[in-house]
Amino acid sequence: MTERSVINIFFMSPRTEQQFEDIRREKVEHIKLCALQLFAENGYDTTPISKIAKVAGISKGLIYNYFSSKEELLKEILISGLKNFISFLKIEEIDRIKREEIIAFVDGNLNLLKQNTDYYKLYFSLVMQPKTVQLLENEMRDVFGQIFEKFIHYFEQQGEDQPYVKARYLLAIFDGIGIHYIIDPERFPLDEIQEILITKI
Amino acid sequence: MTERSVINIFFMSPRTEQQFEDIRREKVEHIKLCALQLFAENGYDTTPISKIAKVAGISKGLIYNYFSSKEELLKEILISGLKNFISFLKIEEIDRIKREEIIAFVDGNLNLLKQNTDYYKLYFSLVMQPKTVQLLENEMRDVFGQIFEKFIHYFEQQGEDQPYVKARYLLAIFDGIGIHYIIDPERFPLDEIQEILITKI
Amino acid sequence: MTERSVINIFFMSPRTEQQFEDIRREKVEHIKLCALQLFAENGYDTTPISKIAKVAGISKGLIYNYFSSKEELLKEILISGLKNFISFLKIEEIDRIKREEIIAFVDGNLNLLKQNTDYYKLYFSLVMQPKTVQLLENEMRDVFGQIFEKFIHYFEQQGEDQPYVKARYLLAIFDGIGIHYIIDPERFPLDEIQEILITKI
Amino acid sequence: MTERSVINIFFMSPRTEQQFEDIRREKVEHIKLCALQLFAENGYDTTPISKIAKVAGISKGLIYNYFSSKEELLKEILISGLKNFISFLKIEEIDRIKREEIIAFVDGNLNLLKQNTDYYKLYFSLVMQPKTVQLLENEMRDVFGQIFEKFIHYFEQQGEDQPYVKARYLLAIFDGIGIHYIIDPERFPLDEIQEILITKI
DNA sequence: AATGAATGAGTCTTCATTCAT
DNA sequence: AATGAATGAAGACTCATTCAT
């Protein structure tokens, strides 16, 4: 028991459960953000926990207070990204799929790409590996399953002859654009391509 | 003639330069192939040299007889892939860019994807990292610069208003298709999408 | 005050900065001492880090917590020795160079030799290699430059005709004595030679 | 049996035993010389056999045709040096030890130093290690025992009161000069010091 | 006599994770 | 809740030596 602890008791008003929760959540988010940036830039495997700690301004040990392992940290980052994807694009709300909604989705997708470039970078660099896919199996099925269904539904409504193929194709195009934007964000003509894409739809 | 000279003719002669060269070329190719498969499946950083050696049926040390480092091995694999890309698609020969040639390129590209899935897997998993791009700077500039110019030229001929944007877009689509095929080769409708793509062009 | 706050005061506080610093300094010195003994006895190149760790009673990894590389460890050992040399001989304080001071230096030098045999052993075994000299370039220039100047100055005062040569010669003699003492400390008549040397000066 | 061997038999006159011996001896000397230079410059432990082979213009394997191991090669180099030392200084012939002979020895010693700097470099860098001393135990005892006895004898003749100490001291001075010359051959005033040394004797 | 492919033990180094405080 | 010391398993790489030719 150090002097510090003692002082804490006498001079600081005790935090409420809620405050503790807030602090914790804030710290967790901070660590995740720092880790995401480093993972995106240098790769997951080549980013040591120690570096994350340094960038986050905390000790190595503390990270293990919030995440049980490095892989767990990765998983939470990836899942947060997927959740963000869902909520940002309001996928769940898209039930009657009209043209405007698809266009909104396209717009949203590309806007998200611009804002969350780091996340996409990390995502694309890992999605090729079976280990990652396994890690996110359920979550990915949920997210992409939903999107996929809605796209198929949309193309069916449009009277397309191969709605499944078209849906796959459209999603592939999204990711192609994503990758190229990530590799060369300065020069890749994202806005112009966004327009072309919407026109075609 | 002393006894020694007589013995001489029973001495095994060392291998000829040609023999040594054959051994080298064969081993180099074998190692590169094994490494490619492992890198593609498990990732470059998570594949130890020892595992490559085991799969290749040789000792760890021998790999260093042929490649100065793990990174060098990676580089040679990637460059071989690029060279293969160039020669397979006969990029250099495409000077008068007609519709048929572009179509041949699309076909070739997707066929290559089917045949060299491992290479694409590796390529996409690394192209996001600045370190890789740096590793292949010159080679990539050569290859993609050429392709890119021809596409722009083609779209100009076609009277498109934004040839640069269109070229970028088409290349992005290629890679999008590539990634999706790689992630799910069983179910991704590559052939149907190939047709759609050609139709659109 | 929630239960959590109460628990707080029972939490072990982390060590203070001072405590960490103490641990570090102590460990660093311990490692350097063990390494010096082993380097001196078996040579730098033939002493593996693992052996140093074993002798020091710690893990291999911990050495890298305190020294960035084996070479860095060597460098710090050598520099510490040079610093010790300077402070022990009070080189900087010798400004008016009288006979007594030179004699004190000779005495000090040979006493240091007796006490720090390991250091001299290591030093002599490495000083022949350009790599080492390069490693310590600045430090060696500082130390020996100073000593050398004072010796020259002294011989000038004495009216010697070749002060530079005499200074070089005297320093060479020191090292000759050093080497011979190191090789055969039991039988080498260090004390008698010390007297002879002083007499000559 | 390769074609080459066959040709050898029909077109080349068989070498005599003597010629074979000469060729062998020449090659052995060549390898030793190359190895000495590399060992002296970069250290024994940090000079790989492969580098010696490359510098000598032969294959790694061939070295093992002439020397059973790297250590054996070192040993032979060191012993050759010692033998050269003996024969050059004609130590064995010095029986009536007069002043001129000692002077001749001093001269010879320093001349040898100038000519065989590499050897001295190697010698001094290894002589500190017990392993080396063990390797050369007998040879060193022979050489230095002889020299030492003669020096003692000489100082006895001169009526010195501590002939043993003086002999040790003189040998130490030789080595001190040797080391300093080796470290800085350009600027070390070897000739002047040689004169001083002779004068003192 | 000569080559260099091949091996495998050993070395330095990194880093996720644990632990005492 | 927080620190960084400490561990140990694993990885990249080296190199003396052997071996088939």
Side-chain angles (χ1 to χ4, degrees), chain B residues 1-6 8-14, chain D residues 1-2 4-6 9 14-17 20-21 24:
Chain B
M1 198 187 298
T2 65
E3 203 186 298
R4 239 197 195 147
S5 311
V6 172
N8 255 343
I9 64 165
F10 292 106
F11 278 161
M12 288 290 189
S13 298
Chain D
M1 194 192 308
T2 66
R4 228 196 216 152
S5 313
V6 173
I9 289 179
R15 291 191 179 92
T16 63
E17 286 281 348
F20 273 118
E21 266 309 303
R24 202 182 159 80

Side-chain angles (χ1 to χ4, degrees), chain D residues 9-59:
Chain D
I9 289 179
F10 287 105
F11 292 93
M12 297 183 61
S13 60
R15 291 191 179 92
T16 63
E17 286 281 348
Q18 182 56 45
Q19 283 174 316
F20 273 118
E21 266 309 303
D22 289 347
I23 290 172
R24 202 182 159 80
R25 201 168 329 126
E26 230 171 76
K27 207 140 228 174
V28 163
E29 285 312 311
H30 178 59
I31 293 171
K32 280 162 70 180
L33 191 63
C34 294
L36 172 56
Q37 287 169 352
L38 291 167
F39 288 165
E41 192 62 19
N42 306 115
Y44 169 71
D45 289 305
T46 43
T47 302
I49 288 281
S50 59
K51 193 167 186 180
I52 299 170
K54 190 176 285 174
V55 169
I58 58 174
S59 72

